[in-house]
Amino acid sequence: MTDVRAKKSLGQHFLVDMSVAKGVADSLRVESPTRVLEIGPGMGALTQFLLQDPNINLTAIEVDRESVDYLKLNYPQLDVVSGDFLRLPLETIVPEGDFYVVGNYPYNISTQIFFKILEYRDRIPVAAGMLQKEVAERFAAPPGSRTYGITSVLLQAFYNIEYLFTVHEHVFSPPPKVKSAVIRMERNEVKHLPCNEQLFVKVVKTAFGQRRKTLRNSLKSLTGDSPLPSQYLLQRPECLSVEQFVELTNEIERILESKK
Ligand code: SAH
């Protein structure tokens, strides 16, 4: 069978350097029998290495019919689900238990993919793989860094994130316009944040919605004229750690409660 024709609309950039593909597969660091879900296997660059690991029990999900046909022909032993990762309830793919997630992800929807991983965080101890470099940097950025933003806080609330290595455009066909990077995220110990989690998300999004403003100004839309007791009011959102956003969320919750 001939190669799959790369479709831009599906974010298809196939890895052609097999040592990089192996590096991405290895970034999972599987040490004992583990269920693994690969997102967007394409023509199987990573898949072939995942299949070689006797500890990995692999399922792949691919939205492109042409790629699914290619995989069925070339990797008959592979369990491949034809469908859209963002739309399918993951219970239908992995009915129970924990599983790791890996991929050379479609860059056009990578943030949505990681928000879905976050939704299933209590079943996903590890997620790793390749992303656009800027997105990978944002996910892993510590407070105080210029790239620290909404996704950094929301992901780091539940995962420890490592930036592993940078990947050059020329290892893909067709080459993307941007550099890439491989990250690994491991679930931390936090089961629930010690605050109202919905309000936490709202506070983080509101604060970064106007990231150049001080928190006193950007959070007025949530608290109105009631003064916040916070010691962080004169700071900008990129300076606050997850714990400090939790503290701020609790202060805002108290104000909202007192207004009821
Ligand atoms: N892993 C392959 C392909 C990477 S390109 C490699 O490294 O060579 C990204 C892949 O994600 C493509 O195969 C594309 O068809 C697939 N994809 C895009 N959107 C998807 C979605 N919503 N669900 C599942 N797969 C998707």
Side-chain angles (χ1 to χ4, degrees), residues 10-15 40-42 61-64 84-85 104 106 109:
L10 295 178
Q12 289 181 336
H13 295 278
F14 299 113
L15 259 172
I61 174 162
E62 173 57 64
V63 77
D64 176 31
D84 180 341
F85 173 78
N104 167 20
I109 54 167

Side-chain angles (χ1 to χ4, degrees), residues 5-240:
R5 189 177 40 90
K7 300 163 200 74
K8 213 175 173 183
S9 62
L10 295 178
Q12 289 181 336
H13 295 278
F14 299 113
L15 259 172
V16 290
D17 181 327
M18 289 308 125
S19 64
V20 174
K22 183 168 189 315
V24 180
D26 289 347
S27 69
L28 271 182
R29 293 182 206 142
V30 168
E31 283 170 354
S32 53
T34 307
R35 285 282 326 237
V36 173
L37 180 61
E38 184 189 356
I39 301 173
M43 285 188 279
L46 312 180
T47 321
Q48 57 183 316
F49 295 105
L50 299 166
L51 285 171
Q52 282 168 15
D53 185 333
N55 273 325
I56 291 182
N57 175 359
L58 183 66
T59 300
I61 174 162
E62 173 57 64
V63 77
D64 176 31
R65 274 296 339 174
E66 195 185 347
S67 296
V68 172
D69 291 343
Y70 180 98
L71 291 162
K72 285 192 169 153
L73 202 70
N74 290 281
Y75 303 95
Q77 73 277 38
L78 174 67
D79 175 24
V80 55
V81 175
S82 173
D84 180 341
F85 173 78
L86 295 180
R87 285 167 181 265
L88 273 179
L90 298 188
E91 294 77 11
T92 62
I93 307 176
V94 190
E96 53 177 21
D98 288 358
F99 56 98
Y100 288 15
V101 174
V102 72
N104 167 20
Y105 299 99
Y107 295 176
N108 51 338
I109 54 167
S110 54
T111 304
Q112 287 147 282
I113 288 176
F114 278 80
F115 276 128
K116 180 146 182 178
I117 290 173
L118 203 50
E119 254 178 69
Y120 283 86
R121 60 184 173 261
D122 290 334
R123 295 186 61 201
I124 305 180
V126 173
M130 183 123 66
L131 298 159
Q132 180 176 335
K133 181 169 182 269
E134 283 71 24
V135 175
E137 280 170 349
R138 188 178 297 280
F139 286 4
S145 130
R146 214 164 34 84
T147 47
Y148 186 68
I150 297 171
T151 43
S152 333
V153 181
L154 299 184
L155 289 171
Q156 289 172 27
F158 297 102
Y159 284 93
N160 299 325
I161 305 180
E162 276 176 89
Y163 183 101
L164 297 179
F165 56 92
T166 306
V167 178
H168 196 274
E169 302 83 309
H170 70 241
V171 305
F172 301 89
S173 170
K177 289 206 174 65
V178 292
K179 291 215 180 328
S180 302
V182 176
I183 62 161
R184 183 178 194 277
M185 321 199 311
E186 189 163 327
R187 189 76 172 83
N188 64 19
E189 300 294 315
V190 176
K191 286 285 157 249
H192 297 285
L193 293 176
C195 67
N196 175 332
E197 289 184 359
Q198 267 178 317
L199 185 60
F200 174 82
V201 174
K202 201 166 167 184
V203 169
V204 173
K205 287 187 174 168
T206 307
F208 281 103
Q210 297 175 295
R211 68 182 288 144
R212 260 172 266 282
K213 289 196 177 172
T214 60
L215 293 165
R216 179 170 53 197
N217 288 325
S218 60
L219 295 175
K220 266 189 187 144
S221 64
L222 295 179
T223 54
D225 287 334
S226 313
L228 267 173
S230 178
Q231 50 175 317
Y232 310 120
L233 284 182
L234 295 177
Q235 301 206 16
R236 288 178 174 72
E238 62 261 31
C239 298
L240 262 60

